[in-house]
Coordinates of all heavy atoms in Angstrom, one line a residue:
M1 N -4.9 41.6 64.1 CA -3.8 42.5 64.3 C -3.9 43.5 63.1 O -4.0 43.1 62.0 CB -2.5 41.7 64.2 CG -1.3 42.6 64.4 SD 0.1 41.5 64.5 CE 1.1 42.5 65.6
K2 N -3.8 44.8 63.5 CA -3.8 45.8 62.4 C -2.4 46.1 61.8 O -1.5 46.1 62.6 CB -4.4 47.1 63.0 CG -5.9 47.0 63.3 CD -6.3 48.4 63.8 CE -7.8 48.3 64.1 NZ -8.3 49.7 64.4
M3 N -2.4 46.3 60.5 CA -1.2 46.6 59.9 C -1.1 48.1 60.0 O -2.0 48.9 60.0 CB -1.1 46.2 58.4 CG -0.9 44.8 58.2 SD -0.3 44.4 56.5 CE -1.7 44.8 55.5
R4 N 0.2 48.6 60.0 CA 0.4 50.0 60.0 C 0.2 50.5 58.6 O 0.1 49.8 57.6 CB 1.9 50.3 60.4 CG 2.2 49.9 61.9 CD 3.6 50.3 62.1 NE 3.9 49.9 63.5 CZ 5.0 50.1 64.0 NH1 6.0 50.7 63.4 NH2 5.2 49.8 65.3
S5 N 0.0 51.8 58.5 CA -0.3 52.4 57.3 C 0.8 52.2 56.2 O 0.5 52.0 55.1 CB -0.5 54.0 57.4 OG -0.8 54.6 56.3
G6 N 2.0 52.3 56.7 CA 3.1 52.1 55.7 C 3.1 50.6 55.1 O 3.4 50.4 54.0
L7 N 2.8 49.7 56.0 CA 2.7 48.3 55.5 C 1.6 48.1 54.6 O 1.7 47.3 53.6 CB 2.6 47.3 56.7 CG 3.9 47.2 57.5 CD1 3.6 46.3 58.7 CD2 5.1 46.7 56.7
K8 N 0.5 48.8 54.8 CA -0.7 48.7 53.9 C -0.3 49.3 52.5 O -0.7 48.7 51.5 CB -1.9 49.4 54.5 CG -2.6 48.6 55.6 CD -3.9 49.4 56.0 CE -4.6 48.6 57.1 NZ -5.8 49.4 57.5
D9 N 0.4 50.4 52.6 CA 0.8 51.1 51.4 C 1.8 50.1 50.6 O 1.6 50.0 49.4 CB 1.4 52.4 51.6 CG 0.5 53.4 52.1 OD1 -0.8 53.2 52.0 OD2 0.9 54.4 52.7
F10 N 2.6 49.6 51.3 CA 3.6 48.6 50.7 C 3.0 47.4 50.1 O 3.3 47.0 49.0 CB 4.7 48.2 51.7 CG 5.8 47.4 51.1 CD1 6.8 48.0 50.3 CD2 5.9 46.0 51.3 CE1 7.8 47.2 49.7 CE2 6.9 45.2 50.8 CZ 7.8 45.9 50.0
A11 N 2.0 46.9 50.8 CA 1.2 45.7 50.3 C 0.4 46.1 49.0 O 0.4 45.4 48.0 CB 0.3 45.1 51.3
A12 N -0.2 47.3 49.1 CA -1.0 47.7 47.9 C -0.1 48.0 46.7 O -0.4 47.6 45.6 CB -1.7 49.0 48.2
F13 N 1.1 48.6 47.0 CA 2.1 48.8 45.9 C 2.5 47.4 45.2 O 2.6 47.3 44.0 CB 3.3 49.5 46.4 CG 4.4 49.7 45.4 CD1 4.2 50.5 44.3 CD2 5.6 48.9 45.5 CE1 5.3 50.7 43.3 CE2 6.6 49.0 44.5 CZ 6.4 49.9 43.4
G14 N 2.8 46.4 46.1 CA 3.2 45.1 45.6 C 2.1 44.4 44.8 O 2.3 43.8 43.8
R15 N 0.8 44.7 45.2 CA -0.3 44.1 44.5 C -0.4 44.8 43.1 O -0.6 44.1 42.1 CB -1.5 44.3 45.3 CG -2.7 43.6 44.8 CD -3.8 43.7 45.9 NE -5.1 43.1 45.4 CZ -5.4 41.9 45.6 NH1 -4.7 41.1 46.3 NH2 -6.6 41.5 45.1
V16 N -0.2 46.1 43.0 CA -0.3 46.8 41.7 C 0.9 46.4 40.9 O 0.7 46.2 39.7 CB -0.4 48.3 42.0 CG1 -0.2 49.1 40.7 CG2 -1.7 48.6 42.7
L17 N 2.1 46.3 41.5 CA 3.2 46.0 40.7 C 3.1 44.5 40.1 O 3.5 44.3 39.0 CB 4.5 46.1 41.5 CG 5.8 45.9 40.8 CD1 6.1 46.9 39.8 CD2 7.0 46.0 41.8
S18 N 2.7 43.6 40.9 CA 2.6 42.2 40.4 C 1.5 42.2 39.3 O 1.6 41.4 38.3 CB 2.2 41.3 41.6 OG 1.0 41.6 42.1
T19 N 0.4 43.0 39.4 CA -0.6 43.0 38.4 C 0.0 43.6 37.1 O -0.2 43.1 36.0 CB -1.8 43.9 38.9 OG1 -2.3 43.3 40.0 CG2 -2.9 43.9 37.8
A20 N 0.8 44.6 37.2 CA 1.4 45.2 36.0 C 2.3 44.2 35.3 O 2.4 44.2 34.2 CB 2.2 46.5 36.4
L21 N 3.1 43.5 36.1 CA 4.0 42.5 35.5 C 3.2 41.4 34.8 O 3.6 40.9 33.7 CB 4.9 41.9 36.6 CG 6.0 42.8 37.1 CD1 6.7 42.2 38.3 CD2 7.0 43.2 36.0
A22 N 2.1 41.0 35.4 CA 1.3 40.0 34.7 C 0.7 40.5 33.4 O 0.7 39.7 32.4 CB 0.2 39.5 35.7
V23 N 0.2 41.7 33.4 CA -0.4 42.3 32.2 C 0.7 42.4 31.1 O 0.5 42.1 30.0 CB -1.0 43.7 32.5 CG1 -1.4 44.4 31.3 CG2 -2.3 43.5 33.3
A24 N 2.0 42.9 31.6 CA 3.0 42.9 30.6 C 3.4 41.6 30.1 O 3.8 41.5 28.8 CB 4.3 43.5 31.3
G25 N 3.3 40.5 30.9 CA 3.5 39.2 30.4 C 2.5 38.8 29.3 O 2.9 38.1 28.4
Y26 N 1.2 39.1 29.5 CA 0.2 38.8 28.5 C 0.5 39.6 27.2 O 0.3 39.0 26.1 CB -1.2 39.0 29.1 CG -1.7 38.0 29.9 CD1 -1.8 38.1 31.3 CD2 -2.1 36.7 29.3 CE1 -2.4 37.1 32.0 CE2 -2.6 35.7 30.1 CZ -2.7 35.9 31.4 OH -3.2 34.9 32.3
V27 N 0.8 40.8 27.4 CA 1.2 41.6 26.2 C 2.4 41.0 25.4 O 2.4 40.9 24.2 CB 1.4 43.1 26.5 CG1 2.0 43.9 25.4 CG2 0.1 43.7 27.1
F28 N 3.4 40.7 26.2 CA 4.6 40.0 25.5 C 4.2 38.7 24.8 O 4.6 38.4 23.7 CB 5.6 39.7 26.6 CG 6.8 38.9 26.0 CD1 7.8 39.6 25.3 CD2 7.0 37.6 26.2 CE1 8.9 39.0 24.7 CE2 8.0 36.9 25.6 CZ 9.0 37.7 24.9
L29 N 3.3 37.9 25.5 CA 2.8 36.7 24.8 C 2.1 37.1 23.5 O 2.2 36.3 22.5 CB 1.9 35.9 25.7 CG 1.2 34.7 25.2 CD1 2.2 33.7 24.9 CD2 0.1 34.2 26.2
G30 N 1.2 38.1 23.5 CA 0.5 38.5 22.3 C 1.4 39.0 21.2 O 1.2 38.6 20.1
V31 N 2.5 39.7 21.6 CA 3.5 40.1 20.6 C 4.2 38.9 20.0 O 4.4 38.8 18.7 CB 4.5 41.1 21.2 CG1 5.6 41.4 20.2 CG2 3.8 42.4 21.5
W32 N 4.6 38.0 20.8 CA 5.3 36.8 20.4 C 4.4 35.9 19.5 O 4.8 35.5 18.5 CB 5.7 35.9 21.6 CG 6.4 34.7 21.2 CD1 7.8 34.6 20.8 CD2 5.9 33.4 21.0 NE1 8.0 33.3 20.5 CE2 6.8 32.5 20.6 CE3 4.5 32.9 21.2 CZ2 6.6 31.2 20.4 CZ3 4.3 31.6 21.0 CH2 5.3 30.7 20.6
L33 N 3.1 35.8 19.9 CA 2.2 35.0 19.1 C 1.9 35.7 17.8 O 1.8 35.0 16.8 CB 0.9 34.8 19.9 CG -0.2 33.9 19.3 CD1 0.3 32.5 19.0 CD2 -1.4 33.9 20.2
S34 N 1.7 37.0 17.8 CA 1.5 37.7 16.6 C 2.6 37.6 15.6 O 2.4 37.3 14.4 CB 1.3 39.2 16.9 OG 1.1 40.0 15.7
N35 N 3.9 37.6 16.1 CA 5.1 37.5 15.2 C 5.1 36.1 14.7 O 5.4 35.9 13.5 CB 6.3 37.9 16.0 CG 7.5 37.9 15.2 OD1 7.5 38.2 14.0 ND2 8.6 37.5 15.8
W36 N 4.8 35.1 15.6 CA 4.9 33.7 15.1 C 3.8 33.5 14.0 O 4.1 32.8 13.0 CB 4.6 32.8 16.3 CG 4.7 31.3 15.9 CD1 5.8 30.6 15.9 CD2 3.7 30.5 15.5 NE1 5.6 29.3 15.5 CE2 4.2 29.2 15.2 CE3 2.3 30.6 15.3 CZ2 3.5 28.1 14.8 CZ3 1.6 29.5 14.9 CH2 2.1 28.3 14.7
L37 N 2.7 34.0 14.2 CA 1.6 33.9 13.2 C 2.0 34.5 11.9 O 1.7 33.9 10.8 CB 0.2 34.5 13.6 CG -0.5 33.7 14.8 CD1 -1.6 34.5 15.3 CD2 -1.0 32.4 14.3
Q38 N 2.6 35.7 11.9 CA 3.0 36.4 10.7 C 4.1 35.6 10.0 O 4.1 35.5 8.7 CB 3.5 37.7 11.0 CG 2.3 38.8 11.2 CD 2.9 40.2 11.3 OE1 4.0 40.4 11.7 NE2 2.0 41.1 11.1
T39 N 5.1 35.1 10.7 CA 6.2 34.4 10.1 C 5.8 33.1 9.5 O 6.4 32.5 8.6 CB 7.4 34.2 11.0 OG1 6.9 33.5 12.1 CG2 8.0 35.5 11.4
N40 N 4.7 32.5 10.0 CA 4.2 31.2 9.5 C 3.1 31.3 8.5 O 2.4 30.4 8.2 CB 3.8 30.3 10.6 CG 5.0 29.8 11.4 OD1 5.9 29.4 10.8 ND2 4.9 29.8 12.7
G41 N 2.9 32.6 7.9 CA 2.0 32.7 6.8 C 0.5 32.9 7.1 O -0.3 32.8 6.2
Y42 N 0.2 33.1 8.3 CA -1.2 33.3 8.7 C -1.6 34.8 8.3 O -0.8 35.6 8.1 CB -1.4 33.2 10.2 CG -1.4 31.7 10.6 CD1 -0.2 31.1 11.0 CD2 -2.5 30.9 10.6 CE1 -0.1 29.8 11.4 CE2 -2.5 29.6 11.0 CZ -1.3 29.1 11.4 OH -1.3 27.8 11.8
P43 N -2.9 35.0 8.1 CA -3.3 36.4 7.7 C -3.0 37.4 8.7 O -2.9 37.1 9.9 CB -4.9 36.2 7.6 CG -5.2 34.8 7.6 CD -4.0 34.1 8.2
I44 N -2.8 38.6 8.3 CA -2.4 39.7 9.2 C -3.5 40.0 10.2 O -3.2 40.4 11.3 CB -2.0 41.0 8.3 CG1 -1.4 42.1 9.2 CG2 -3.2 41.5 7.6 CD1 -0.1 41.8 9.7
W45 N -4.8 39.9 9.8 CA -5.8 40.2 10.7 C -5.9 39.2 11.9 O -6.2 39.6 13.0 CB -7.2 40.2 10.0 CG -7.6 38.8 9.5 CD1 -7.4 38.4 8.2 CD2 -8.3 37.8 10.2 NE1 -7.9 37.1 8.1 CE2 -8.5 36.7 9.3 CE3 -8.8 37.7 11.5 CZ2 -9.1 35.5 9.7 CZ3 -9.4 36.5 11.9 CH2 -9.5 35.4 11.0
L46 N -5.5 38.0 11.7 CA -5.4 37.0 12.8 C -4.2 37.3 13.7 O -4.4 37.2 15.0 CB -5.2 35.6 12.2 CG -5.2 34.5 13.2 CD1 -6.6 34.4 13.9 CD2 -4.9 33.1 12.5
S47 N -3.1 37.8 13.2 CA -2.0 38.1 14.1 C -2.4 39.4 14.9 O -2.1 39.5 16.1 CB -0.7 38.3 13.4 OG -0.8 39.4 12.5
L48 N -3.0 40.3 14.4 CA -3.5 41.5 15.1 C -4.6 41.2 16.1 O -4.6 41.7 17.2 CB -4.0 42.6 14.1 CG -3.0 43.2 13.2 CD1 -3.6 44.2 12.3 CD2 -1.9 44.0 14.0
A49 N -5.5 40.3 15.7 CA -6.5 39.8 16.6 C -5.9 39.1 17.8 O -6.3 39.3 19.0 CB -7.5 39.0 16.0
A50 N -4.9 38.3 17.6 CA -4.2 37.6 18.7 C -3.6 38.5 19.6 O -3.6 38.4 20.9 CB -3.2 36.6 18.1
L51 N -3.0 39.6 19.1 CA -2.3 40.6 19.9 C -3.3 41.3 20.8 O -3.1 41.5 22.0 CB -1.6 41.6 19.0 CG -0.9 42.8 19.8 CD1 0.1 42.3 20.8 CD2 -0.2 43.7 18.8
L52 N -4.4 41.8 20.2 CA -5.4 42.5 20.9 C -6.2 41.6 22.0 O -6.4 42.1 23.1 CB -6.5 43.1 19.9 CG -6.0 44.2 19.0 CD1 -7.0 44.6 18.0 CD2 -5.5 45.4 19.9
L53 N -6.5 40.4 21.5 CA -7.1 39.5 22.5 C -6.3 39.1 23.7 O -6.8 39.1 24.8 CB -7.6 38.2 21.8 CG -8.8 38.4 20.8 CD1 -9.1 37.2 20.1 CD2 -10.0 38.9 21.6
T54 N -5.0 38.8 23.5 CA -4.2 38.5 24.7 C -4.0 39.8 25.6 O -4.0 39.6 26.8 CB -2.9 38.0 24.2 OG1 -2.2 38.9 23.4 CG2 -3.0 36.6 23.6
A55 N -3.8 40.9 25.0 CA -3.7 42.1 25.8 C -5.0 42.4 26.5 O -5.0 42.7 27.7 CB -3.3 43.3 24.9
A56 N -6.1 42.2 25.9 CA -7.4 42.5 26.5 C -7.6 41.4 27.7 O -8.1 41.7 28.8 CB -8.6 42.4 25.6
F57 N -7.2 40.2 27.4 CA -7.4 39.1 28.5 C -6.5 39.5 29.7 O -6.9 39.3 30.8 CB -7.0 37.8 27.9 CG -7.2 36.7 28.9 CD1 -8.4 36.2 29.2 CD2 -6.1 36.1 29.5 CE1 -8.6 35.2 30.1 CE2 -6.2 35.1 30.4 CZ -7.5 34.6 30.7
G58 N -5.2 39.9 29.4 CA -4.3 40.3 30.5 C -4.9 41.4 31.3 O -4.8 41.5 32.5
L59 N -5.5 42.5 30.6 CA -6.0 43.6 31.3 C -7.2 43.2 32.2 O -7.5 43.6 33.3 CB -6.5 44.7 30.4 CG -5.3 45.5 29.7 CD1 -5.8 46.4 28.6 CD2 -4.6 46.3 30.8
W60 N -8.0 42.3 31.7 CA -9.3 41.8 32.4 C -8.7 41.0 33.6 O -9.3 41.2 34.7 CB -10.1 40.9 31.5 CG -11.2 40.2 32.1 CD1 -12.2 40.9 32.8 CD2 -11.4 38.8 32.2 NE1 -13.1 39.9 33.2 CE2 -12.6 38.6 32.9 CE3 -10.7 37.7 31.8 CZ2 -13.1 37.4 33.2 CZ3 -11.2 36.4 32.1 CH2 -12.4 36.3 32.8
Q61 N -7.7 40.1 33.5 CA -7.2 39.4 34.6 C -6.7 40.3 35.7 O -6.8 40.1 36.9 CB -6.2 38.4 34.2 CG -6.7 37.2 33.4 CD -7.6 36.4 34.3 OE1 -7.2 35.9 35.3 NE2 -8.8 36.1 33.8
G62 N -6.0 41.4 35.2 CA -5.4 42.4 36.2 C -6.5 43.1 36.9 O -6.4 43.4 38.1
W63 N -7.5 43.5 36.2 CA -8.7 44.2 36.8 C -9.4 43.3 37.9 O -9.7 43.7 39.0 CB -9.7 44.6 35.8 CG -10.9 45.2 36.3 CD1 -12.1 44.7 36.5 CD2 -11.0 46.6 36.9 NE1 -12.9 45.6 37.1 CE2 -12.3 46.7 37.3 CE3 -10.1 47.6 37.0 CZ2 -12.7 47.9 37.9 CZ3 -10.5 48.8 37.5 CH2 -11.8 48.9 38.0
L64 N -9.5 42.0 37.6 CA -10.1 41.1 38.5 C -9.2 40.9 39.7 O -9.8 40.9 40.8 CB -10.3 39.7 37.9 CG -11.5 39.6 36.8 CD1 -11.5 38.2 36.3 CD2 -12.8 40.0 37.5
F65 N -8.0 40.9 39.5 CA -7.0 40.7 40.7 C -7.0 41.9 41.5 O -7.0 41.8 42.8 CB -5.7 40.5 40.2 CG -4.6 40.2 41.2 CD1 -4.7 39.1 42.0 CD2 -3.6 41.2 41.5 CE1 -3.8 38.9 43.0 CE2 -2.7 41.0 42.5 CZ -2.8 39.8 43.2
L66 N -7.1 43.1 41.0 CA -7.1 44.4 41.8 C -8.4 44.6 42.5 O -8.4 45.2 43.6 CB -6.7 45.6 40.9 CG -5.2 45.6 40.4 CD1 -5.0 46.8 39.6 CD2 -4.3 45.7 41.7
T67 N -9.5 44.2 41.9 CA -10.8 44.5 42.5 C -11.3 43.5 43.4 O -12.2 43.7 44.2 CB -11.8 44.8 41.4 OG1 -11.9 43.6 40.6 CG2 -11.5 46.0 40.6
R68 N -10.7 42.3 43.4 CA -11.1 41.2 44.3 C -10.5 41.4 45.7 O -9.3 41.8 45.8 CB -10.5 39.9 43.7 CG -10.9 38.7 44.4 CD -10.3 37.4 43.9 NE -8.8 37.5 44.0 CZ -8.0 36.9 43.2 NH1 -8.4 36.1 42.3 NH2 -6.7 37.1 43.4
P69 N -11.3 41.2 46.7 CA -10.8 41.4 48.1 C -9.7 40.4 48.3 O -9.7 39.3 47.7 CB -12.0 41.2 48.9 CG -13.1 40.9 48.1 CD -12.7 40.9 46.7
T70 N -8.8 40.7 49.2 CA -7.7 39.8 49.5 C -8.1 38.6 50.3 O -7.4 37.6 50.4 CB -6.6 40.5 50.3 OG1 -7.1 41.1 51.5 CG2 -6.0 41.7 49.5
G71 N -9.3 38.7 51.0 CA -9.7 37.6 51.8 C -9.3 37.6 53.2 O -9.6 36.8 54.0
R72 N -8.5 38.6 53.5 CA -8.0 38.7 54.9 C -8.9 39.6 55.8 O -8.8 39.6 57.0 CB -6.6 39.3 54.9 CG -5.6 38.4 54.3 CD -4.3 38.8 54.3 NE -3.4 37.9 53.5 CZ -2.1 37.8 53.7 NH1 -1.6 38.7 54.6 NH2 -1.4 37.0 53.1
E73 N -9.8 40.4 55.1 CA -10.7 41.2 55.9 C -11.8 40.4 56.4 O -12.3 39.5 55.7 CB -11.2 42.3 55.0 CG -10.2 43.4 54.6 CD -9.6 42.9 53.2 OE1 -10.2 42.0 52.5 OE2 -8.5 43.5 52.9
K74 N -12.2 40.6 57.6 CA -13.3 39.9 58.2 C -14.7 40.5 57.7 O -14.7 41.7 57.4 CB -13.3 39.9 59.7 CG -12.1 39.1 60.3 CD -12.2 39.0 61.7 CE -11.1 38.1 62.2 NZ -11.2 37.6 63.5
D75 N -15.7 39.7 57.6 CA -16.9 40.2 57.2 C -17.5 41.2 58.2 O -17.5 40.9 59.4 CB -17.9 39.0 57.0 CG -17.6 38.1 55.8 OD1 -16.9 38.7 54.9 OD2 -17.9 37.0 55.9
K76 N -17.9 42.3 57.7 CA -18.5 43.3 58.6 C -19.9 43.1 58.7 O -20.6 43.0 57.7 CB -18.2 44.7 58.1 CG -16.7 45.0 58.1 CD -16.4 46.4 57.5 CE -14.9 46.6 57.4 NZ -14.6 47.9 56.9
Q77 N -20.4 43.0 59.9 CA -21.9 42.8 60.2 C -22.5 43.8 61.0 O -21.9 44.4 61.8 CB -22.1 41.4 60.8 CG -21.7 40.3 59.9 CD -21.9 39.0 60.4 OE1 -22.6 38.8 61.5 NE2 -21.4 38.0 59.9

């Protein structure tokens, strides 16, 4: 069954929005972890590295989610 164009657009928007929320969650985790590391006396470079690594991991996961097929399309032969 074919989806209408509006439903496809809505599904794509939902996919992008959920990806953005996941990336924002990873960035929030990085900020929280960075703050925790700083308040507990860890070196500043470690807290900055934790922030950058969690943000980069979140972006990578978002990219994988957006570029991976949904699995609903049939193989074209």
Side-chain angles (χ1 to χ4, degrees):
M1 179 176 213
K2 290 186 176 183
M3 280 201 295
R4 293 183 181 180
S5 178
L7 290 177
K8 283 185 180 179
D9 292 343
F10 186 71
F13 174 73
R15 192 169 171 94
V16 170
L17 185 63
S18 65
T19 301
L21 288 173
V23 170
Y26 278 107
V27 170
F28 177 78
L29 176 66
V31 169
W32 180 84
L33 182 61
S34 176
N35 187 34
W36 184 86
L37 289 170
Q38 280 184 337
T39 57
N40 287 316
Y42 287 90
I44 188 75
W45 65 266
L46 186 60
S47 65
L48 290 175
L51 177 59
L52 291 174
L53 288 175
T54 54
F57 183 76
L59 287 171
W60 176 61
Q61 289 295 306
W63 177 257
L64 288 178
F65 181 69
L66 286 177
T67 57
R68 183 182 62 203
T70 59
R72 295 184 184 200
E73 297 88 15
K74 293 191 178 199
D75 293 331
K76 295 179 182 178
Q77 294 181 11

